[in-house]
Amino acid sequence: SLLLTVCPKIEFLALVNLDIAMSDSQTTMELSSSSLKNIYAEAISLDKFMLEADSLETLHLKDCTFEVFELVGKGTLRLLKIDDVSVIHLDIGESTENLEVVDVSNFTIMWAKFHHMISRSSKLRRLRLWGVVFDDEDEVVDLETISVCFPLLSHLSLCYDLRDGALQYGLQGLFQLENVVVLELGWTVISDLFSQWVAGLLQRCPNLRKLVIYGVVSEAKTHEECQLLANFTSSVVRLMRKYMHVEVQFEYE
C-alpha cells in the first residue's frame, strides 16, 4: 500500500514472483487504490490477499497460491482471468455486475459457488472454463442456468472431463444460447461422450458461426485411442452436414 500511496494515480500494477518477508507467521497483503484499473499477479504465494480498488476493470491472477483472496470494489470489473491458481476462499464481492469476460483455466472450483459469484453479470459476453476440476465429482456446468443469467453471451469455451452427468444434467432443458456465435470445445481425455456433447451444444446454439474443437492426442496411442479419434472424426463429419453454415476448425496438440 505504501507504493500505491506514493503513486496515487497509478492505473496498472504487475506483481510478479514477489519474495515477501513477513514478521508475522501469516503472510498478508493489503492493497488499496482508487485509481487502479488493471492488476496482474503471477507466481505469488500468500495466506491472504486483500484488494480494495474502486476503479478496477481487469483482474488477472496466474500461477498463484492463496488461502484467501478478497476484492472490494464498486462494480467496475470487466475482465476476470484466473489461470492455474490455488485458492481456498475466493470473494470478488459486489464487483461482478459489469463483467464482460470471465476466463478460468486449470482451476479447481465448486461450480454452484462460483456461478453464484458471477451470476449477476448480465453483460457477460465471453465465458471460458478450460481445464477446470470440480470439487464435487458429481458437479457439472449447468448450461441452462448460463443461458438465463448471461443472455448476451456470444463466445463460449468449455473443456473439462466429461462424465455421464455432463449429458444428463449439463444439457437438460429446452434452453437456447441465442447469441453464441463462437463455440470452443475441448477434451483432456477423449471419450464417446464428447461427440454427443458437441451435438447437444450445437442444437442449442441456433446462430452459431464458428466451432473450434481442441484435443490432446498422446504420442503413444493405443488402438482404442485411435479408434475413438476415428469415430469422433466420423461423427463430426456427419454432424456438420446439418450445419453447413458453421465454420469448423480443429486444434490438436
Side-chain angles (χ1 to χ4, degrees):
S1 285
L2 180 60
L3 171 64
L4 298 181
T5 302
V6 175
C7 306
K9 295 184 179 180
I10 191 170
E11 294 188 356
F12 175 78
L13 178 64
L15 305 171
V16 180
N17 199 23
L18 296 183
D19 186 8
I20 301 171
M22 296 278 185
S23 57
D24 195 343
S25 59
Q26 185 179 61
T27 53
T28 300
M29 179 180 287
E30 296 183 6
L31 298 178
S32 179
S33 171
S34 59
S35 61
L36 194 63
K37 292 185 177 181
N38 187 326
I39 185 166
Y40 173 77
E42 180 181 353
I44 294 177
S45 180
L46 291 167
D47 291 315
K48 194 171 187 179
F49 192 161
M50 305 285 291
L51 176 62
E52 185 176 352
D54 293 344
S55 303
L56 193 68
E57 296 179 1
T58 299
L59 173 62
H60 185 178
L61 305 176
K62 181 178 180 180
D63 191 23
C64 293
T65 301
F66 308 116
E67 285 193 14
V68 176
F69 181 92
E70 292 186 7
L71 169 65
V72 178
K74 291 188 175 179
T76 56
L77 193 64
R78 297 183 182 278
L79 186 151
L80 173 65
K81 187 169 184 177
I82 301 173
D83 181 9
D84 198 13
V85 172
S86 174
V87 58
I88 296 174
H89 176 75
L90 175 67
D91 184 2
I92 54 176
E94 304 298 317
S95 302
T96 63
E97 289 185 5
N98 290 301
L99 269 174
E100 296 177 2
V101 178
V102 172
D103 185 334
V104 178
S105 57
N106 306 310
F107 187 54
T108 299
I109 63 174
M110 183 178 293
W111 171 248
K113 186 175 181 180
F114 184 79
H115 178 264
H116 177 73
M117 188 169 60
I118 64 170
S119 61
R120 298 173 61 191
S121 312
S122 60
K123 298 178 182 178
L124 195 70
R125 296 182 181 276
R126 288 175 173 255
L127 176 63
R128 183 173 183 264
L129 301 173
W130 209 261
V132 297
V133 176
F134 299 108
D135 262 350
D136 183 345
E137 63 179 18
D138 293 327
E139 278 190 307
V140 293
V141 176
D142 185 349
L143 291 168
E144 184 171 20
T145 303
I146 284 178
S147 70
V148 173
C149 292
F150 313 129
L152 301 181
L153 194 67
S154 63
H155 194 133
L156 178 62
S157 305
L158 297 173
C159 175
Y160 58 96
D161 287 339
L162 287 173
R163 300 176 305 278
D164 288 332
L167 299 177
Q168 294 171 0
Y169 303 107
L171 295 176
Q172 69 180 357
L174 300 175
F175 68 91
Q176 296 277 288
L177 295 161
E178 295 282 353
N179 289 310
V180 171
V181 293
V182 178
L183 185 61
E184 295 181 321
L185 302 174
W187 73 71
T188 48
V189 179
I190 192 170
S191 72
D192 290 329
L193 293 174
F194 190 76
S195 56
Q196 299 175 49
W197 190 53
V198 172
L201 279 165
L202 280 172
Q203 289 177 356
R204 288 161 174 80
C205 300
N207 297 306
L208 192 68
R209 297 176 191 165
K210 184 175 183 179
L211 170 66
V212 185
I213 293 175
Y214 293 85
V216 177
V217 181
S218 61
E219 290 185 14
K221 292 178 285 295
T222 65
H223 175 72
E224 183 183 4
E225 288 174 325
C226 290
Q227 193 62 50
L228 281 171
L229 188 58
N231 291 343
F232 169 70
T233 304
S234 299
S235 297
V236 172
V237 170
R238 289 193 299 270
L239 180 64
M240 296 318 296
R241 288 173 183 157
K242 296 169 56 179
Y243 301 95
M244 298 295 289
H245 61 287
V246 178
E247 177 189 350
V248 185
Q249 182 178 330
F250 294 89
E251 296 281 349
Y252 290 159
E253 63 178 62

